[in-house]
Amino acid sequence: PGDYDLIIKWAGEHIPGSPFTVNSVHKCYPEKISVIYLKTAKIEQPCILAVDTSEAGIGVLAVKATDPSGKDVDVNLKKAKDAKRKVMAEFVPKSAGKHQINIKWSRIQVPGSPFLVTVL
């Protein structure tokens, strides 16, 4: 948060009024995101992580899952029915082994991420 100078130039010259003072009042807090998940899952069975962003400020959630070979696994994000800023991240593992789930809030890694899920 705070004041920042925003410089806008056209053809190398400041436009009228530049630099502008911009006040940033919103901040994201990825450390305030909580993630609830089971540490084990079964092949071909949905694995669901509950991601609560209610205390994390304004931001954009990104969830990426990879299998043990490093291949991306599709992740579906759904708004939870019981809370406004809770998201359910679901993936269906196709192979056994440790899967990594990377969670970012406005491109900042959430503490504890990547989360590991052992698929049996």
Side-chain angles (χ1 to χ4, degrees):
D3 290 339
Y4 294 87
D5 289 330
L6 177 63
I7 298 170
I8 302 176
K9 294 182 178 183
W10 177 260
E13 299 292 325
H14 285 274
I15 67 166
S18 177
F20 301 92
T21 300
V22 179
N23 182 277
S24 172
V25 294
H26 299 292
K27 183 165 168 117
C28 70
Y29 302 94
E31 69 276 8
K32 294 191 176 187
I33 288 180
S34 66
V35 180
I36 300 171
Y37 69 105
L38 295 175
K39 295 183 181 184
T40 59
K42 293 183 180 180
I43 294 174
E44 298 292 338
Q45 297 294 315
C47 179
I48 300 171
L49 295 86
V51 183
D52 186 346
T53 66
S54 61
E55 301 294 320
I58 294 174
V60 176
L61 181 67
V63 180
K64 179 181 178 185
T66 54
D67 69 14
S69 70
K71 183 180 174 186
D72 288 349
V73 178
D74 290 337
V75 178
N76 292 316
L77 300 178
K78 296 179 187 173
K79 192 175 184 179
K81 294 177 183 174
D82 61 340
K84 287 184 180 180
R85 298 204 44 204
K86 190 181 213 178
V87 175
M88 308 308 280
E90 178 183 309
F91 72 98
V92 179
K94 305 291 183 196
S95 60
K98 291 194 186 295
H99 286 58
Q100 289 189 14
I101 296 83
N102 285 284
I103 301 178
K104 293 184 179 183
W105 185 244
S106 290
R107 296 185 279 174
I108 301 170
Q109 196 84 3
V110 169
S113 179
F115 299 92
L116 298 178
V117 175
T118 301
V119 177
L120 308 173

